[in-house]
Amino acid sequence: MNEELYNAVFGYGENKVDPFELCAVDFDRIIGDMKLVGYEINSLNIVQQIMLEQCDNLLKTKNKIIELVMDMDNQDDFCREKYGLSFKDIMALDPQHDIEWDIKSGKVIYFLSHEAMHKEEAYFTLFKKSMDAFTAKTGFQYMSL
């Protein structure tokens, strides 16, 4: 474990709890990017960087769908058939503002904000595979509030 990552580990009393124990991401790249822009290297900022990348990936997926159907006359029908959601419901998803995260008891959790809880079914309809892959790769846990 590199020094920056070690310093990002939470400590409780004499026991160390590692919120990144199951996380298989490129920490050297993430910490390098953080240093480049002057972010403090701590566990919460590392989680934030990882989560921001995931939110960006979800937003890219949404934007690809929008580009695909932008000029279609039957946007709603196409989106319902292909993605299980109306075009309007897809447009309402805003991962960068809807998804929040925290570290609790040494575990990283992510969840939808209180204001976005009504979109939970839509998130899992459109992004389930991506969210499952992210959870498997990072060990972060989705929590429904």
Side-chain angles (χ1 to χ4, degrees), residues 41-140:
I41 306 301
N42 62 46
S43 56
L44 199 56
N45 286 349
I46 292 172
V47 170
Q48 179 176 351
Q49 188 70 25
I50 294 168
M51 288 303 304
L52 288 174
E53 288 179 7
Q54 171 65 2
C55 289
D56 284 347
N57 289 335
L58 297 178
L59 191 60
K60 287 176 187 174
T61 299
K62 173 188 162 182
N63 289 339
K64 285 180 185 177
I65 294 169
I66 292 168
E67 281 182 37
L68 177 69
V69 302
M70 189 179 305
D71 296 328
M72 289 184 179
D73 292 332
N74 60 342
Q75 291 172 335
D76 267 349
D77 294 336
F78 180 83
C79 287
R80 276 194 181 94
E81 184 177 318
K82 184 154 175 112
Y83 305 108
L85 296 171
S86 70
F87 182 72
K88 179 181 173 184
D89 288 341
I90 292 171
M91 289 293 292
L93 300 178
D94 186 7
Q96 292 177 317
H97 296 100
D98 293 344
I99 297 176
E100 297 181 0
W101 52 88
D102 203 352
I103 301 175
K104 297 288 185 197
S105 302
K107 300 280 184 198
V108 179
I109 60 168
Y110 65 104
F111 48 91
L112 292 179
S113 68
H114 182 71
E115 296 80 22
M117 282 307 302
H118 67 281
K119 301 178 191 177
E120 186 172 45
E121 186 176 332
Y123 268 95
F124 279 101
T125 299
L126 189 61
F127 299 123
K128 179 157 180 37
K129 286 182 183 177
S130 178
M131 291 173 77
D132 286 348
F134 176 74
T135 298
K137 179 180 178 181
T138 62
F140 295 5

Side-chain angles (χ1 to χ4, degrees), residues 32-43:
D33 289 350
M34 292 174 67
K35 284 181 175 178
L36 199 60
V37 293
Y39 286 140
E40 180 182 348
I41 306 301
N42 62 46
S43 56

Side-chain angles (χ1 to χ4, degrees), residues 3-30:
E3 184 178 352
E4 291 88 357
L5 183 57
Y6 180 80
N7 290 334
V9 174
F10 269 7
Y12 293 100
E14 294 181 34
N15 298 324
K16 291 285 183 186
V17 178
D18 185 355
F20 304 107
E21 181 178 18
L22 303 174
C23 198
V25 298
D26 185 353
F27 284 106
D28 290 332
R29 181 192 57 79
I30 289 169

